[in-house]
Amino acid sequence: MATSSTLEQYITAPLKLALGQTLTGVFYHDVAEKQWLTTNFQGTDIIAQQVELIFGSGLRLYCGWDTVKEWSQYSLCVSQQSFCLEAIVFTASPDYWQQRIGKPLTSYSVYGYKESTWHTAGGSVERVHLNEPHLIVLHFDSSLVAVANYTAEEDFHPRFPFGDDVWILFEQVEIEEHIQRLGFDKLEA
């Protein structure tokens, strides 16, 4: 079972490295070219693989889904190493990122489930996951952005708290809606 040390290793330790550093660039890693980006043009982008954040010191953080033994198959992770073996990489649209570029990462919050139980088709307990993250809120001064892992939805309303797509959310109201809709807990490592 995952402990808070798993959360520390796969989420908070890499983010701590970026605290106080200025965001200088953002790239999306996807399976399709930029013109095919899944976006609602209202503050939500959905990509297939990962978001690459570049900071002033040269630090690169990759936020996306990976497989962590103690969590479900598609686990939200942050790493200094790319999760992708093959991807189309393109610069994220400045429309929403421009408010964050040039600003320092001042804090972050992690949301998911303190405990979740997965059942087999017969109803018996298959696995219990502890401290499993599904959404990270990054604060750049007074601007924020969230990165989450869900399955892509045509109406941009998440139905499941896991999946093989990465959602980037720029609107605070929408971020709060996702947290409430999916019943996330605030996680501490």
Side-chain angles (χ1 to χ4, degrees), residues 1-10 12 71 130-131 188-189:
M1 283 191 220
T3 63
S4 60
S5 65
T6 305
L7 185 65
E8 172 75 17
Q9 178 182 354
Y10 291 99
T12 61
W71 293 331
L130 301 177
N131 297 309
E188 305 289 339

Side-chain angles (χ1 to χ4, degrees), residues 127-149:
R127 280 179 87 174
V128 175
H129 302 284
L130 301 177
N131 297 309
E132 185 173 17
H134 295 288
L135 184 140
I136 303 167
V137 181
L138 304 171
H139 298 265
F140 295 95
D141 280 343
S142 59
S143 297
L144 52 83
V145 63
V147 178
N149 72 306

Side-chain angles (χ1 to χ4, degrees), residues 24-189:
T24 59
V26 180
F27 292 96
Y28 288 172
H29 295 231
D30 207 339
V31 295
E33 300 285 340
K34 186 174 187 170
Q35 67 265 24
W36 301 109
L37 174 67
T38 302
T39 182
N40 65 359
F41 299 102
Q42 297 174 19
T44 301
D45 291 340
I46 300 174
I47 58 176
Q49 296 181 332
Q50 67 188 4
V51 178
E52 178 182 355
L53 304 173
I54 303 169
F55 294 90
S57 68
L59 174 69
R60 292 175 183 263
L61 291 182
Y62 299 89
C63 305
W65 59 267
D66 199 8
T67 300
V68 174
K69 184 178 178 181
E70 293 87 0
W71 293 331
S72 51
Q73 180 181 0
Y74 302 107
S75 302
L76 183 61
C77 296
V78 179
S79 176
Q80 292 182 68
Q81 303 296 318
S82 175
F83 302 111
C84 302
L85 298 176
E86 294 182 25
I88 295 170
V89 180
F90 56 86
T91 304
S93 173
D95 294 343
Y96 293 104
W97 282 103
Q98 66 188 354
Q99 295 175 14
R100 290 119 185 124
I101 300 289
K103 305 248 167 102
L105 178 65
T106 54
S107 65
Y108 60 87
S109 303
V110 182
Y111 294 88
Y113 298 116
K114 290 180 182 177
E115 182 175 327
S116 60
T117 306
W118 294 81
H119 298 274
T120 65
S124 61
V125 172
E126 179 181 337
R127 280 179 87 174
V128 175
H129 302 284
L130 301 177
N131 297 309
E132 185 173 17
H134 295 288
L135 184 140
I136 303 167
V137 181
L138 304 171
H139 298 265
F140 295 95
D141 280 343
S142 59
S143 297
L144 52 83
V145 63
V147 178
N149 72 306
Y150 312 137
T151 299
E153 302 288 352
E154 288 183 16
D155 64 1
F156 291 86
H157 294 290
R159 286 169 180 72
F160 302 105
F162 57 88
D164 61 352
D165 292 295
V166 177
W167 293 43
I168 302 95
L169 310 167
F170 296 95
E171 302 296 329
Q172 184 168 356
V173 170
E174 187 175 22
I175 294 167
E176 291 170 4
E177 178 186 302
H178 284 226
I179 292 167
Q180 290 176 355
R181 174 188 292 264
L182 296 169
F184 289 150
D185 303 310
K186 187 170 184 180
L187 303 178
E188 305 289 339

